[in-house]
């Protein structure tokens, strides 16, 4: 492999192996490559984990640390998945790392999946760069996710539990929660922003069994001022305007505040991180005139949070592309309470077809033509593009040709 395109084609070629839960393949690779664990934070959750990683990263940078992050999916470019100090991995490093991982994987007793190979690439890159801290975002679930080969993180985080990926993680919230709680490590504190008492009780029982202290971060939030900006007052801190907008971001921020305080980071670094955090595709304002917002609300709980924020907007149009394995009916019904909703499809394996959307009564549009017409003559004060994060990425890149942030 000589170019980033070669790497992407190699990884995409592994997608046919699907999802294979388990840690044995990753452990074999890390041992073969002689990679040792670095100081880490591990973040799981149905929604909010990416935003929590963003808050933690900017706090760590303000603290003066060199920090690596592993996230999924990406919004702007593939290389965002492996970043050092907020900068995506460079092409020459990506190609070199990928070649080493491919050569090692060729000797593996079992074939690795695309996500497993990508995870090993991140481990190898960070092993070479030796940052002070690595923040790992779980890809799917937790217990059997390939990031869960960490043995002694500094802290673990569970942001939320919702209905998502039931076919893999379980049918009930309790079953899904146990998968996400599976990132807990013996003696390592876990921080959470859960509100369901059943799940909190389940988490506490698991914490007792693992001798891991459990910390509810929600009491840290003493007030939230919702609006086009989100202003939050945290315990022992003056009010702060978050870099990420939305009522729910106050609690993602609280997870980061609690972890940062646990690690002894300075108060001014914590505040600076809250203010400076950016996370593409999470209520991201990409144009002020016309007002266009991108938000990757890709499940029912994410849409519920989006709807609460949209109540603060005026005259909203929504363009949504919801994947076939999500509860489209509930998501669209929620959005229709606050907006004029159009639906579309896009080039992605798990997307709904045009025919199925029309059969289900959707107001179907071809998104590229529809967006071009809307930009020429906006039909409302605010346009929100939502649904799959992969769709958000496609729209963001498409609009970059026509819109500059104002």
């Amino acid at each position: 492999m000589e170019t980033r395109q070669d790497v992407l084609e190699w990884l995409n070629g592994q997608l046919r192996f699907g999802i294979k839960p388990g840690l044995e393949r990753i452990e074999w690779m890390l041992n073969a490559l002689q990679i040792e664990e670095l100081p880490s934070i591990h973040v799981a959750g149905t929604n909010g984990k990416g935003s929590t990683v963003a808050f933690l990263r900017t706090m760590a940078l303000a603290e003066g640390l060199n920090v690596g992050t592993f996230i999924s999916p990406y919004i702007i470019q593939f290389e965002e998945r492996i970043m050092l100090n907020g900068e995506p991995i460079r092409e020459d490093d990506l190609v070199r790392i990928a070649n080493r991982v491919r050569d090692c994987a060729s000797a593996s007793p079992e074939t690795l999946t695309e996500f497993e190979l990508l995870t090993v690439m991140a481990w190898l890159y960070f092993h070479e760069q030796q940052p002070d801290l690595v923040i790992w975002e779980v890809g799917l679930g937790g217990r059997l996710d390939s990031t869960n080969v960490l043995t002694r993180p500094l802290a673990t985080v569970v942001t939320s539990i919702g209905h998502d990926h039931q076919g893999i993680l379980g049918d009930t919230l309790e079953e899904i929660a146990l998968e996400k709680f599976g990132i807990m490590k013996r003696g390592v504190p876990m921080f959470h922003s859960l509100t369901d008492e059943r799940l909190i009780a389940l988490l506490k029982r698991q914490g007792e069994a693992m001798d891991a202290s459990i910390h509810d971060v929600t009491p840290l939030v003493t007030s939230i001022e919702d609006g086009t900006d989100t202003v939050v007052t945290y315990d022992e801190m003056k009010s702060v305007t978050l870099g990420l907008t939305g009522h729910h971001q106050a609690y993602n921020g609280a997870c980061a505040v609690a972890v940062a305080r646990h690690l002894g980071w300075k108060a001014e670094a914590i505040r600076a991180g809250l203010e400076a955090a950016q996370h593409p595709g999470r209520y991201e304002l990409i144009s002020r005139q016309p007002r266009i917002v991108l938000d990757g609300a890709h499940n029912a709980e994410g849409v519920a949070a989006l709807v609460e924020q949209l109540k603060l907007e005026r005259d909203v149009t929504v363009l949504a592309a919801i994947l076939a394995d999500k509860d489209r009916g509930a998501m669209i019904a929620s959005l229709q309470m606050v907006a004029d909703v159009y639906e579309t499809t896009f080039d992605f394996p798990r997307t709904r077809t045009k025919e199925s959307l029309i059969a289900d009564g959707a107001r179907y549009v071809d998104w590229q033509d529809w967006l071009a017409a809307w930009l020429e003559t906006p039909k409302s004060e605010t346009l929100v593009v939502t649904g799959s994060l992969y769709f958000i990425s496609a729209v963001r890149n498409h609009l970059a040709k026509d819109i500059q942030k104002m």
Side-chain angles (χ1 to χ4, degrees), residues 107-150:
S108 171
E110 289 188 68
T111 302
L112 279 79
T113 67
E114 181 261 359
F115 188 72
E116 288 173 333
L117 291 167
L118 184 60
T119 304
V120 176
M121 287 168 59
W123 273 84
L124 181 55
Y125 179 64
F126 296 141
H127 177 74
E128 290 184 356
Q129 299 296 321
Q130 289 291 301
D132 303 305
L133 176 71
V134 181
I135 308 170
W136 297 91
E137 178 185 345
V138 167
L140 175 64
R143 182 175 65 92
L144 297 177
D145 186 76
S146 62
T147 62
N148 201 31
V149 287
L150 292 166

Side-chain angles (χ1 to χ4, degrees), residues 13 31 62 134 143 154 194 246 268 281 313 321 332 405:
N31 182 63
V134 181
R143 182 175 65 92
L154 301 173
L194 306 180
E268 51 266 36
E313 300 276 359
I332 294 299
K405 200 166 185 177

Side-chain angles (χ1 to χ4, degrees), residues 52-108:
T52 299
V53 170
F55 282 123
L56 283 167
R57 176 174 57 229
T58 46
M59 289 176 185
L61 290 172
E63 181 68 15
L65 301 176
N66 288 317
V67 56
T69 50
F70 179 70
I71 65 170
S72 62
Y74 68 92
I75 297 296
I76 303 171
Q77 64 179 111
F78 173 84
E79 288 84 349
E80 293 167 42
R81 301 186 78 168
I82 303 172
M83 292 198 284
L84 184 65
N85 296 330
E87 294 295 324
I89 184 172
R90 299 182 310 177
E91 181 173 12
D92 57 344
D93 287 326
L94 179 73
V95 172
R96 179 176 48 77
I97 293 291
N99 279 312
R100 282 197 62 190
V101 170
R102 183 189 62 179
D103 291 346
C104 182
S106 66
S108 171

Side-chain angles (χ1 to χ4, degrees), residues 77-279:
Q77 64 179 111
F78 173 84
E79 288 84 349
E80 293 167 42
R81 301 186 78 168
I82 303 172
M83 292 198 284
L84 184 65
N85 296 330
E87 294 295 324
I89 184 172
R90 299 182 310 177
E91 181 173 12
D92 57 344
D93 287 326
L94 179 73
V95 172
R96 179 176 48 77
I97 293 291
N99 279 312
R100 282 197 62 190
V101 170
R102 183 189 62 179
D103 291 346
C104 182
S106 66
S108 171
E110 289 188 68
T111 302
L112 279 79
T113 67
E114 181 261 359
F115 188 72
E116 288 173 333
L117 291 167
L118 184 60
T119 304
V120 176
M121 287 168 59
W123 273 84
L124 181 55
Y125 179 64
F126 296 141
H127 177 74
E128 290 184 356
Q129 299 296 321
Q130 289 291 301
D132 303 305
L133 176 71
V134 181
I135 308 170
W136 297 91
E137 178 185 345
V138 167
L140 175 64
R143 182 175 65 92
L144 297 177
D145 186 76
S146 62
T147 62
N148 201 31
V149 287
L150 292 166
T151 61
R152 186 72 182 181
L154 301 173
T156 58
V157 181
V158 174
T159 57
S160 64
I161 305 293
H163 292 93
D164 208 1
H165 302 293
Q166 288 102 314
I168 300 170
L169 301 181
D171 295 323
T172 68
L173 283 179
E174 288 85 354
E175 288 173 332
I176 295 170
L178 284 173
E179 290 300 315
K180 296 185 187 298
F181 297 164
I183 68 169
M184 184 184 297
K185 298 296 181 293
R186 184 165 299 280
V188 175
M190 172 171 274
F191 299 84
H192 74 90
S193 55
L194 306 180
T195 56
D196 188 320
E197 291 299 331
R198 296 170 304 159
L199 302 184
I200 294 172
L202 188 63
L203 178 58
K204 288 179 177 178
R205 288 198 297 272
Q206 186 145 335
E208 290 174 1
M210 295 284 289
D211 192 28
S213 58
I214 306 299
H215 305 269
D216 180 359
V217 308
T218 59
L220 291 179
V221 181
T222 58
S223 73
I224 307 172
E225 298 174 36
D226 291 313
T228 53
D229 290 323
T230 302
V231 182
V232 184
T233 303
Y234 293 105
D235 184 43
E236 300 179 7
M237 186 186 301
K238 291 182 180 178
S239 62
V240 57
T241 300
L242 299 183
L244 302 177
T245 302
H247 189 93
H248 58 292
Q249 296 294 2
Y251 296 96
N252 297 327
C255 287
V257 168
V259 172
R261 287 178 174 176
H262 167 70
L263 297 177
W265 296 352
K266 296 185 293 291
E268 51 266 36
I270 295 173
R271 183 180 187 87
L274 289 168
E275 294 174 334
Q278 295 295 316
H279 195 28

Side-chain angles (χ1 to χ4, degrees), residues 15-40:
L15 288 172
R16 68 184 186 275
F17 297 111
I19 298 171
K20 299 195 294 187
L23 306 178
E24 301 83 2
R25 294 173 295 276
I26 293 282
E27 290 169 343
W28 187 94
M29 289 287 291
L30 297 184
N31 182 63
L33 290 165
Q34 297 184 318
I35 298 174
E36 296 182 358
E37 186 170 327
L38 294 168
S40 299

Side-chain angles (χ1 to χ4, degrees), residues 332-382:
I332 294 299
S334 295
L335 290 167
Q336 287 173 334
M337 294 190 296
V338 292
D340 196 19
V341 180
Y342 294 83
E343 292 182 75
T344 191
T345 187
F346 67 110
D347 185 18
F348 188 72
R350 290 187 285 122
T351 191
R352 282 180 164 79
T353 64
K354 172 182 177 179
E355 292 73 21
S356 68
L357 285 169
I358 292 173
D360 288 339
R363 296 173 69 187
Y364 178 85
V365 296
D366 178 275
W367 70 268
Q368 293 183 338
D369 293 343
W370 186 89
L371 272 179
W374 197 93
L375 288 172
E376 187 172 332
T377 309
K379 299 296 193 295
S380 62
E381 290 191 29
T382 302

